[in-house]
Amino acid sequence: ALGAARRRKSTMLGAHQRKAAVNLIFVVHWVFNFAFLISSFVVASTANAGFNVVLTGLMYVAFGTAAFMAINRFQSSTLLGILIGVSGTLSLLSLQTAIYWGQLSNCSPLKEFKDIAHYSCENTGAMQSVCAFASLLFILQLMITIALFAWRDELSHGMLMYSQVNTGYNDTGLGPDTAPDYAPYGSGYGGGSQSYQGGVPQHDV
C-alpha cells in the first residue's frame, strides 16, 4: 500500500511537470501570436488576402487565451477534446498561411499597368515575416496538439493534493485486504466457521 501511495505521489508530481510544460508552450505561443498579429496588420491592405491574415491572427490570440484558461481553470475532458480538435485545425491553417505568404512575398511590383485591380505587391518584408511567424506557429501548434492528446488524462482531471491520495489504509490502520472478517451479533451472517444468529454463536455438531 505504501508503494502504491509513492507511485501515486510520483504520478501527481509528473502531472504537475507536464502541466507546467504545456503552460510554457502556451506562453511562447502567445508571444509569437502577438508578433504574427502585428505583421498581419502591416499587410492588411494586401488585395484579396489582408482580411484573412488579420482574422487568422485574431484566431491565434483567441485560441491561446481560451486554451490557457481552460487548462488552468476549468479542466474538463469535453473541453480538452474540443481544444485538441481546434489545435489540430489551427496547425493546418498555420501551414497553409506560411506557404501562401511565402509564395506571395516573391511577387514583383508592376512597372506597367499599375492600375490592375486586385493586385498588390507592397511590404514584401512584412509578407516574409508573416510566413516566418506562421511557420513557427505551425510547429508550436503541433507541439500543443500532441501534448494535449498525450497528457489528456492529467490535464482534464486536474492534480490531486497529496492528502487526497488513497494510501490503502482505513481508520483502523488496517488495509482493505486485512480488514477483520466478522459480522455483528444478530446480523444473521457468519464469518469463518461460526454462524451468529440472534446474538448467540451456533456451532455445527
Side-chain angles (χ1 to χ4, degrees):
L2 289 177
R6 291 191 184 98
R7 288 192 298 270
R8 288 171 182 171
K9 182 180 179 182
S10 176
T11 301
M12 181 180 64
L13 293 176
H16 278 289
Q17 294 172 353
R18 292 172 180 176
K19 185 177 181 181
V22 172
N23 286 333
L24 179 60
I25 296 175
F26 272 117
V27 171
V28 178
H29 184 269
W30 207 93
V31 171
F32 286 113
N33 285 344
F34 186 71
F36 180 91
L37 188 61
I38 293 177
S39 299
S40 69
F41 289 150
V42 176
V43 298
S45 60
T46 303
N48 304 319
F51 174 78
N52 292 338
V53 70
V54 173
L55 182 60
T56 301
L58 294 176
M59 289 172 59
Y60 283 139
V61 175
F63 169 78
T65 305
F68 185 84
M69 294 181 60
I71 291 176
N72 290 278
R73 285 192 174 185
F74 304 106
Q75 296 177 344
S76 169
S77 58
T78 303
L79 186 58
L80 184 61
I82 296 174
L83 291 178
I84 293 173
V86 174
S87 181
T89 303
L90 285 179
S91 300
L92 298 177
L93 180 61
S94 301
L95 179 60
Q96 177 184 353
T97 303
I99 295 174
Y100 179 83
W101 285 94
Q103 293 179 343
L104 191 61
S105 64
N106 295 323
C107 67
S108 300
L110 295 178
K111 296 181 180 179
E112 298 179 357
F113 306 106
K114 294 182 179 181
D115 57 345
I116 295 180
H118 305 291
Y119 181 85
S120 59
C121 187
E122 295 84 12
N123 299 320
T124 56
M127 294 179 182
Q128 293 175 353
S129 67
V130 168
C131 174
F133 290 129
S135 301
L136 293 173
L137 287 172
F138 168 68
I139 297 174
L140 289 173
Q141 285 292 160
L142 282 181
M143 293 175 61
I144 291 173
T145 304
I146 295 173
L148 292 179
F149 180 78
W151 301 336
R152 58 190 181 278
D153 293 333
E154 292 87 344
L155 296 175
S156 61
H157 297 298
M159 270 57 73
L160 294 173
M161 298 299 294
Y162 182 66
S163 60
Q164 295 175 323
V165 177
N166 182 15
T167 60
Y169 287 86
N170 52 30
D171 295 336
T172 62
L174 299 174
D177 295 334
T178 59
D181 183 14
Y182 66 89
Y185 289 105
S187 62
Y189 296 94
S193 61
Q194 293 183 346
S195 176
Y196 298 93
Q197 295 178 357
V200 179
Q202 303 289 333
H203 296 275
D204 296 334
V205 180

